[in-house]
Amino acid sequence: MQNLLLHNINSPKDLKKLRKEQLPQLAQELRDFIIAIVATKEGHLGASLGVVELTIALHYVFNTPSDKLIWDVGHQAYGHKILTGRKEIFDTNRQLGGISGFPKRSESEYDDFGTGHSSTGISAILGMALASKLKGITKRQHIAVVGDASIASGMAFEGLNHLGVTDVNALIILNDNAIGIDPSVGALKKYLTNVKQGTAKDENLFECLNLNYSGPIDGHDLDVLIEELERLKTVEGPKLLHIITKKGKGLQKAEENQVAYHAPGKFDVTTGERLKKTDEGMPPKYQDVFGHTIVELAQENENIVGITPAMPTGSSLKYMMEQIPERAFDVGIAEQHAVTLAAGMAAQGLIPFCNIYSTFLQRAYDQVIHDVALQKLPVIFCLDRAGLVGQDGPTHHGVFDLAYLRCIPNMIIFAPMNEIELRNIMYTTQKHLDSPIAIRYPRGRGVTLDWQVPFETLEMGKAKCLREGNKMAILSVGHIGNTITEILDDLDQPAGVGHYDMRFIKPLDEETLRHVFGRYDTVLTIEDGCETGGFGTAVLEFAQKEKINKPIKVFGVPDRFIEHGTPSETYKLAGIDINTLTTFIQSTL
């Protein structure tokens, strides 16, 4: 392509120098640039491709960063990053030491708000608009780009409800592509479909909320977008612009398979074909073990139901949705609703498996306490993506669950070391459970090839001794216990080290702990959660209660947010990688 436009754009000031008729060429170059980088470096793809024209139009019309711009969810902000001074370092996206895959306030003055989780943008932009008003700044524009899946969340509606009774200068752009990570669900999706088709009932939902509504318009037509945004700059008060886009726009494979190309991994930049990774001879992913096991159990137990907030593919509840659709529920981006829905089902004798990413359950903390634990309802929480998750970074690291759940009365917490333990705890809890349980497991693969073995009932609250020793005892919880096994297998003097798969963080196996403290000189605890308030803290509390005076070393994620990087890099950053642990064990012995 002659006279590459993108090459000369390092800020929105450069963008504004272009003529309007040049912008479609820039859009094509920006798409090509995103595709070329993500094809080799991996990351999110479809969302950013879908908003290329919108990104250009926003920075062309508005005066960023003086005007405030929020992307909700932030994985659609790749084009925004490239146009705001990060083009030359965009190949470091999601790499250790590189730029974040989401907007990040400390990274750029153009990133007005961090948005790794969805549905926060409306509240944040309203807060900024109210702040401008209080400061007497009357000409500043405030824009939040919100997807149709994000705007269906309860928090987004709370923001809209408040926005509609203000007179602030705020524009909500509803980016309607009918998909989040999986296809959007719910009554609001049906309403938006009717709006697009011209069959909606007379009253407009957003106008009823006192927002100045315009649209729907083609979100890929730069002339129409720019004209409407210029008009809206002159309209005072809260506004909502409804645009129609296609996720994955410009890459045929991404348009055809929008779920897979949300974050496709590496792919051929020319054809769009994903580069195949062989699963042959590999252990399964934990989420697939969950997905296949819940189907297996539900086929035998008609009271089992499955619930996920907008993550059927990521959590693998999709298998149950395909085979037993009447008992598997995708409730949209609505974690609070998912938890209380599960509580209501449990109150009526059903057995709900509520599958939520660890980091997303943070959004429903009060519901876990007030609606589930306080009433001692036997909801089975399956917390996927527990621990350090890698390149999604600190917004997605599931490291706080042990600490924030451990303090809740009536809550059982279990961390399986492998796929078989995950299957067996799922089997055990659906047979009989009289209080809630959280089962937390990591992103990625387990360690067991032959995992579909007959179920066994686990003794609740009971640890498992993997190796007896006489000097040091290592107490591990969850998948990271496999790292300890690997270390001990390689050590010269394994007889000195005992290893216990504690499994239950709550209740602790106090009988085993008394045995351990009576037998060993030193105790080491290891977890892939925050060391403040987690499993190691629970062991320290036990030792204090029992008046035990022996050295206890706690290994966990330190009291800081761990940046993005590969899983091995983030474990090293946290000091719970195999080399750090090996060095400590050897030096102590």
Side-chain angles (χ1 to χ4, degrees):
M1 197 177 286
Q2 296 296 314
N3 302 317
L4 288 174
L5 301 175
L6 185 60
H7 177 73
N8 295 314
I9 293 177
N10 296 303
S11 74
K13 287 182 182 177
D14 298 327
L15 171 64
K16 293 176 191 294
K17 295 174 185 174
L18 298 180
R19 301 185 308 277
K20 267 185 18 176
E21 55 267 27
Q22 293 178 289
L23 297 182
Q25 178 184 332
L26 176 64
Q28 184 59 52
E29 291 181 21
L30 186 55
R31 271 200 177 85
D32 292 343
F33 189 85
I34 293 171
I35 290 168
I37 297 290
V38 177
T40 58
K41 299 290 186 177
E42 302 189 16
H44 297 102
L45 180 68
S48 286
L49 293 183
V51 294
V52 162
E53 287 83 7
L54 175 64
T55 304
I56 292 170
L58 286 170
H59 285 293
Y60 195 73
V61 170
F62 293 102
N63 183 29
T64 55
S66 178
D67 290 335
K68 299 297 148 193
L69 174 60
I70 293 177
W71 297 91
D72 180 352
V73 177
H75 55 233
Q76 61 185 323
Y78 285 9
H80 159 81
K81 292 199 171 203
I82 293 162
L83 294 178
T84 55
R86 287 163 278 183
K87 179 176 81 244
E88 301 304 324
I89 56 171
F90 189 70
D91 62 347
T92 71
N93 184 44
R94 292 162 48 91
Q95 311 295 311
L96 181 66
I99 62 173
S100 169
F102 300 96
K104 188 176 181 182
R105 279 168 49 83
S106 62
E107 186 177 292
S108 170
E109 63 178 341
Y110 290 93
D111 289 2
D112 288 303
F113 202 76
T115 45
H117 291 183
S118 89
S119 314
T120 60
I122 296 172
S123 298
I125 206 67
L126 176 54
M128 292 178 182
L130 287 169
S132 295
K133 182 182 177 185
L134 289 169
K135 292 178 178 180
I137 305 171
T138 58
K139 299 301 183 184
R140 177 175 289 163
Q141 304 285 332
H142 307 85
I143 309 103
V145 180
V146 183
D148 61 290
S150 294
I151 206 167
S153 170
M155 185 177 177
F157 266 92
E158 292 170 25
L160 289 172
N161 185 51
H162 185 191
L163 177 64
V165 294
T166 69
D167 59 356
V168 298
N169 192 11
L171 169 63
I172 309 303
I173 297 178
L174 172 56
N175 174 31
D176 185 357
N177 57 20
I179 188 168
I181 295 176
D182 287 278
S184 302
V185 296
L188 185 63
K189 179 205 174 172
K190 290 185 178 180
Y191 169 76
L192 293 175
T193 300
N194 291 339
V195 170
K196 286 182 277 190
Q197 294 174 344
T199 58
K201 295 175 182 177
D202 292 340
E203 286 190 308
N204 180 286
L205 172 65
F206 301 108
E207 289 176 344
C208 292
L209 290 170
N210 205 32
L211 304 177
N212 187 318
Y213 174 89
S214 58
I217 66 171
D218 182 354
H220 299 301
D221 188 323
L222 272 160
D223 288 335
V224 171
L225 273 174
I226 289 171
E227 181 181 354
E228 183 59 14
L229 291 175
E230 290 283 8
R231 183 187 76 82
L232 287 169
K233 275 173 70 172
T234 68
V235 177
E236 295 184 354
K239 307 166 282 285
L240 187 138
L241 171 61
H242 185 178
I243 72 169
I244 311 303
T245 63
K246 174 165 279 195
K247 189 171 182 179
K249 175 76 172 176
L251 184 66
Q252 185 177 351
K253 291 287 185 183
E255 292 183 28
E256 293 170 350
N257 192 343
Q258 294 175 331
V259 174
Y261 281 79
H262 171 76
K266 293 181 180 179
F267 59 92
D268 185 289
V269 72
T270 305
T271 66
E273 286 284 350
R274 292 199 293 163
L275 303 184
K276 292 179 180 175
K277 297 177 183 176
T278 177
D279 291 340
E280 193 173 338
M282 298 284 284
K285 295 178 180 178
Y286 277 99
Q287 62 262 32
D288 286 340
V289 173
F290 161 81
H292 292 301
T293 300
I294 192 173
V295 170
E296 198 175 336
L297 295 171
Q299 287 169 340
E300 299 295 324
N301 187 339
E302 63 183 12
N303 287 321
I304 289 176
V305 290
I307 301 167
T308 181
M311 302 302 292
T313 300
S315 72
S316 291
L317 193 68
K318 63 181 181 181
Y319 300 125
M320 187 177 183
M321 293 177 73
E322 291 164 357
Q323 297 181 54
I324 318 175
E326 69 279 7
R327 288 196 274 144
F329 302 90
D330 176 3
V331 302
I333 302 175
E335 292 87 0
Q336 293 173 304
H337 167 60
V339 171
T340 305
L341 176 74
M345 289 175 160
Q348 291 301 302
L350 295 182
I351 303 169
F353 282 80
C354 188
N355 186 295
I356 302 182
Y357 287 13
S358 168
T359 187
F360 295 160
L361 188 65
Q362 295 163 188
R363 295 157 61 95
Y365 192 57
D366 180 62
Q367 286 68 31
V368 173
I369 295 173
H370 179 273
D371 299 338
V372 178
L374 180 62
Q375 304 185 88
K376 208 177 181 185
L377 290 168
V379 173
I380 302 165
F381 293 104
C382 292
L383 305 189
D384 198 343
R385 270 60 167 185
L388 295 164
V389 298
Q391 291 169 312
D392 278 344
T395 58
H396 285 62
H397 290 322
V399 298
F400 304 110
D401 49 14
L402 296 182
Y404 74 64
L405 293 172
R406 196 171 70 82
C407 61
I408 302 175
N410 296 331
M411 181 65 70
I412 302 168
I413 309 171
F414 182 92
M417 186 170 160
N418 55 44
E419 303 90 325
I420 294 171
E421 286 191 350
L422 173 57
R423 279 171 57 79
N424 285 338
I425 193 66
M426 291 175 67
Y427 171 73
T428 301
T429 53
Q430 58 89 38
K431 283 175 61 181
H432 175 72
L433 188 68
D434 58 8
S435 63
I437 184 170
I439 306 166
R440 52 106 66 183
Y441 47 91
R443 178 180 187 171
R445 297 189 182 278
V447 293
T448 312
L449 290 174
D450 186 18
W451 58 275
Q452 287 181 299
V453 295
F455 291 114
E456 293 181 16
T457 302
L458 296 182
E459 183 179 348
M460 299 299 279
K462 192 65 182 168
K464 182 179 181 181
C465 177
L466 302 178
R467 185 196 298 257
E468 282 278 16
N470 51 36
K471 294 180 181 177
M472 172 195 292
I474 301 178
L475 313 178
S476 65
V477 288
H479 178 82
I480 200 169
N482 296 294
T483 301
I484 301 301
T485 298
E486 184 180 339
I487 291 171
L488 297 184
D489 285 345
D490 291 340
L491 271 181
D492 294 334
Q493 44 184 161
V497 185
H499 182 201
Y500 296 81
D501 172 20
M502 295 301 291
R503 306 198 288 196
F504 289 91
I505 294 89
K506 186 177 183 180
L508 284 173
D509 183 348
E510 295 191 350
E511 182 182 349
T512 293
L513 286 178
R514 289 189 186 97
H515 165 75
V516 165
F517 280 110
R519 179 181 178 93
Y520 296 89
D521 300 326
T522 303
V523 173
L524 183 155
T525 72
I526 177 70
E527 61 201 293
D528 59 355
C530 60
E531 66 179 40
T532 304
F535 165 66
T537 301
V539 174
L540 290 170
E541 290 167 356
F542 170 82
Q544 189 274 334
K545 182 184 74 172
E546 299 277 316
K547 295 182 171 55
I548 293 167
N549 186 22
K550 285 190 175 182
I552 302 170
K553 172 62 177 176
V554 175
F555 275 98
V557 177
D559 189 22
R560 66 176 186 270
F561 290 104
I562 303 298
E563 291 303 306
H564 56 273
T566 64
S568 61
E569 288 169 340
T570 55
Y571 272 76
K572 187 173 182 180
L573 285 173
I576 52 174
D577 58 296
I578 192 166
N579 288 336
T580 302
L581 294 170
T582 300
T583 299
F584 180 85
I585 292 167
Q586 286 179 321
S587 64
T588 304
L589 287 173

